[in-house]
Amino acid sequence: MVQRQTRDQRKYRTSVIIVGTGFSGLGMAIRLKWAGISDFIVLEKAADLGGTWRDNTYPGCACDVPSLMYSFSFEQNSSWSRMFARQGEISDYLQHCADKYRVRDHIHYGVEFTGAEYDEDANTWTVSTADGTEYVGRALVSGVGALHIPSYPELPGVEGFEGEVFHSAEWNHDFGLAGKRVAVIGTGASAIQFVPRIAKEVARLHLFQRTPPWIQPKPDRPIPESVQRLFRNVPLLQRAARAALYWTLEARYFAVFNRRLGKLAEQLSKRYIRKAVKDPKVRAAVTPDYAMGCKRILLSSDYYPALNRSNVDLVTSGVAEVRSRSVVTGDGEEHEVDAIIYGTGFHVTDAFDHLSIVGRDGRKLQDAWRNGMEAYLGMTVSGFPNLFFLLGPNTGLGHNSVVFMIESQINYVLSCLRPICRDEVGQIDVRKSVQDAFNAEIQSELADEVWSAGGCRSWYLDENGVNRTIWPGFTWKYWQRTRKADMADYETTAGQSR
Ligand code: NAP
């Protein structure tokens, strides 16, 4: 059982410490409980659960993966109101999962994970937190994901700007946009969702595009009540619909990331641009010059129409300088603005740099990842026993639902946590040779793929141009490899109960 200590004691002991309450952390907590392991604590930096779906509340925030697939396989929601759920509905779904599977009592809110140190004699991780409270556990599971540290561009002079400034992931809802002149920096997945919404409200919108994304129309529509009822009454039908959708999305991998078919998809998107964007100059500016799939392919049916509005101005000459009330572009033009909104994404390949994680023999994770972050199957790192990453290196996707990857990982991690919690093994540490062979294999597959060879620069790649984020292939292949941990891949020590 979780030791019921008061916060004043500032030290908790448990079997498993989970960090984060997004799909990863919550899913891990639920599956642990199912497995009969209730001695675990979940740390959450915020005052509520939900991860990225709690933080991102910008106007128009929604998922670009169909709702049927963007949910746990064990909790298929028959009440999704749309083909692509909006932020509030996904956030409510996570709250519902926490209640239904009774994991709320395990969550410690307002606890910011700052680092962890492994004690090889005791086979425990000691987790440090921002307020000084310590947590000691036999295993540590990171469910922090990679999209939670907003990336702020370094715009010259921005510190002297007197207007309002905020990031899409930290939307200031108290700032009324009606009638304001606004600069939006970035045209990625978040910006293309909020631009059409705020364009209707603001007096003027200067949209700063560095690289145009490839965009396909979003086949979003309400799911009729009759279909929701059918799913509720015949759950097998919903499972069949989900399975069909899964294989359709898997086929998308083939369709987009296969060069020849990718060209066809590019032609379709270009045709969509021709149809949707009126101004030939804007049309040319939003047409990408790199291969589709190199960056995340975006879905939207209202972004291009928003660019046709007379109050929206697409700027491609870059930001040269920010003055107290304006943004000056590379061509010397000065745009007066009341607010700057960053749609500039997140720290991804450097997401763990600010944490102090120390494994065996005092080895720091930053040192282990000096040449780029890598793990075995995206989950375990040699020299860091009993530490598991959910959605770790090279397990992100461009074509299917990451919730599928998360569930595959939870299964795998659970097969390691069971013997640890029963004290049958003391520590499990992935063999360096196994980790190296795995990474050599996936990097050789990734080298010729569109993410590296498609002629773009994206956050999928680290500073050395190596893809550290994407799983190179079909997700069923990942599922197949992660059904159960093979202990031959690990160096293990016996636990006390042996
Ligand atoms: P993003 O896709 O990384 O886009 C960032 C945008 O900001 C890009 O257009 C980028 O231009 C631009 N940018 C970055 N730094 C800049 C700078 N210094 N100066 C000018 N422009 C700059 O970020 P995001 O839109 O927040 O999305 C991040 C990820 O979150 C997505 O890829 C996706 O995985 C996830 N997301 C998912 C959904 C969903 O529906 N499931 C929705 C939103 C977000 P360049 O392209 O030139 O770098």
Side-chain angles (χ1 to χ4, degrees):
M1 284 295 292
V2 176
Q3 292 192 10
R4 301 262 173 224
Q5 292 173 298
T6 64
R7 284 290 174 94
D8 300 343
Q9 289 171 276
R10 302 180 76 75
K11 192 159 190 166
Y12 291 81
R13 283 186 177 277
T14 187
S15 287
V16 184
I17 302 164
I18 301 169
V19 186
T21 62
F23 271 97
S24 301
L26 217 51
M28 188 77 246
I30 292 169
R31 291 294 310 279
L32 270 177
K33 212 148 188 190
W34 269 11
I37 301 167
S38 45
D39 184 14
F40 65 89
I41 291 175
V42 189
L43 307 183
E44 170 51 62
K45 66 180 173 187
D48 199 0
L49 60 84
T52 190
W53 295 105
R54 172 204 59 227
D55 291 343
N56 285 271
T57 60
Y58 58 78
C61 182
C63 193
D64 59 10
V65 174
S67 339
L68 273 183
M69 266 316 291
Y70 205 81
S71 44
F72 292 122
S73 59
F74 56 80
E75 186 59 29
Q76 297 191 23
N77 179 13
S78 56
S79 311
W80 292 121
S81 67
R82 307 190 66 81
M83 294 287 286
F84 292 83
R86 293 181 176 159
Q87 175 263 338
E89 212 170 355
I90 302 175
S91 176
D92 288 350
Y93 169 78
L94 291 172
Q95 297 280 349
H96 158 81
C97 290
D99 286 332
K100 178 167 175 182
Y101 295 96
R102 298 171 181 273
V103 292
R104 247 181 226 283
D105 286 352
H106 294 262
I107 304 173
H108 288 201
Y109 293 102
V111 179
E112 188 182 345
F113 173 77
T114 54
E117 188 160 355
Y118 188 67
D119 177 340
E120 199 164 356
D121 295 329
N123 290 334
T124 55
W125 279 98
T126 299
V127 164
S128 45
T129 65
D131 74 355
T133 310
E134 275 187 358
Y135 292 82
V136 180
R138 276 187 268 182
L140 175 59
V141 182
S142 160
V144 299
L147 298 172
H148 68 117
I149 308 169
S151 171
Y152 285 87
E154 286 170 19
L155 304 180
V158 74
E159 58 291 342
F161 182 65
E162 290 169 6
E164 185 64 26
V165 181
F166 56 88
H167 189 279
S168 59
E170 296 165 340
W171 197 270
N172 180 359
H173 291 278
D174 294 332
F175 182 74
L177 285 165
K180 298 282 178 7
R181 297 161 304 175
V182 177
V184 170
I185 317 288
T187 53
S190 304
I192 66 138
Q193 292 187 335
F194 69 75
V195 160
R197 294 300 182 93
I198 68 169
K200 292 179 196 154
E201 261 187 85
V202 300
R204 184 121 216 113
L205 198 159
H206 305 280
L207 176 58
F208 288 82
Q209 170 190 282
R210 191 165 65 179
T211 318
W214 279 106
I215 299 179
Q216 297 175 334
K218 190 174 190 178
D220 189 22
R221 57 180 179 276
I223 298 178
E225 178 55 40
S226 55
V227 175
Q228 294 179 35
R229 208 172 322 120
L230 203 60
F231 282 165
R232 231 176 343 264
N233 296 333
V234 193
L236 207 61
L237 204 65
Q238 183 168 11
R239 289 193 172 271
R242 180 176 157 117
L245 181 62
Y246 171 79
W247 290 109
T248 308
L249 292 175
E250 282 293 83
R252 197 169 163 233
Y253 178 82
F254 191 66
V256 172
F257 301 116
N258 170 295
R259 290 287 167 77
R260 206 169 299 157
L261 289 173
K263 284 269 171 240
L264 185 66
E266 284 178 16
Q267 291 311 320
L268 291 175
S269 284
K270 282 183 179 168
R271 195 196 297 170
Y272 175 46
I273 292 173
R274 284 196 294 274
K275 225 172 94 182
V277 183
K278 287 191 189 136
D279 183 333
K281 273 200 208 132
V282 176
R283 223 183 272 156
V286 298
T287 305
D289 62 359
Y290 56 88
M292 180 181 269
C294 187
K295 286 172 183 283
R296 188 179 174 89
I297 300 164
L298 308 183
L299 300 183
S300 173
S301 300
D302 55 5
Y303 176 69
Y304 289 145
L307 303 184
N308 294 331
R309 295 179 65 95
S310 58
N311 65 334
V312 175
D313 170 26
L314 184 73
V315 186
T316 55
S317 45
V319 178
E321 186 194 349
V322 178
R323 296 185 184 153
S324 60
R325 283 275 158 199
S326 63
V327 177
V328 182
T329 47
D331 55 10
E333 205 176 326
E334 187 169 3
H335 306 266
E336 289 205 359
V337 293
D338 305 302
I340 299 174
I341 305 176
Y342 296 124
T344 44
F346 301 88
H347 287 272
V348 179
T349 52
D350 54 352
F352 286 89
D353 285 4
H354 68 294
L355 299 171
S356 164
I357 298 179
V358 183
R360 271 164 84 173
D361 307 321
R363 192 156 187 237
K364 292 187 176 141
L365 189 66
Q366 282 102 327
D367 291 334
W369 284 356
R370 180 162 295 141
N371 297 320
M373 58 181 200
E374 59 176 46
Y376 177 50
L377 295 167
M379 288 180 277
T380 49
V381 181
S382 179
F384 297 82
N386 301 3
L387 169 61
F388 305 91
F389 292 91
L390 299 175
L391 278 192
N394 291 105
T395 58
L397 297 177
H399 72 287
N400 208 329
S401 170
V402 285
V403 181
F404 181 85
M405 298 297 272
I406 291 170
E407 282 199 68
S408 303
Q409 294 171 348
I410 289 172
N411 263 333
Y412 183 95
V413 172
L414 203 52
S415 71
C416 299
L417 291 180
R418 278 197 190 98
I420 293 173
C421 291
R422 288 190 211 118
D423 221 353
E424 290 164 6
V425 298
Q427 67 175 35
I428 80 165
D429 189 7
V430 67
R431 293 177 195 278
K432 182 81 170 68
S433 56
V434 169
Q435 181 182 320
D436 288 348
F438 170 77
N439 280 283
E441 175 200 332
I442 60 167
Q443 288 305 335
S444 84
E445 284 176 37
L446 283 163
D448 297 329
E449 294 278 8
V450 68
W451 303 288
S452 305
C456 81
R457 172 86 214 171
S458 76
W459 56 260
Y460 292 151
L461 311 181
D462 67 12
E463 57 190 15
N464 302 313
V466 180
N467 191 327
R468 301 290 180 188
T469 48
I470 290 284
W471 168 250
F474 294 107
T475 63
W476 63 265
K477 286 195 176 169
Y478 186 78
W479 169 82
Q480 206 175 34
R481 287 178 84 151
T482 54
R483 292 178 68 193
K484 190 174 185 293
D486 180 351
M487 283 303 146
D489 293 339
Y490 290 85
E491 286 169 16
T492 59
T493 61
Q496 303 283 337
S497 71
R498 279 271 162 109

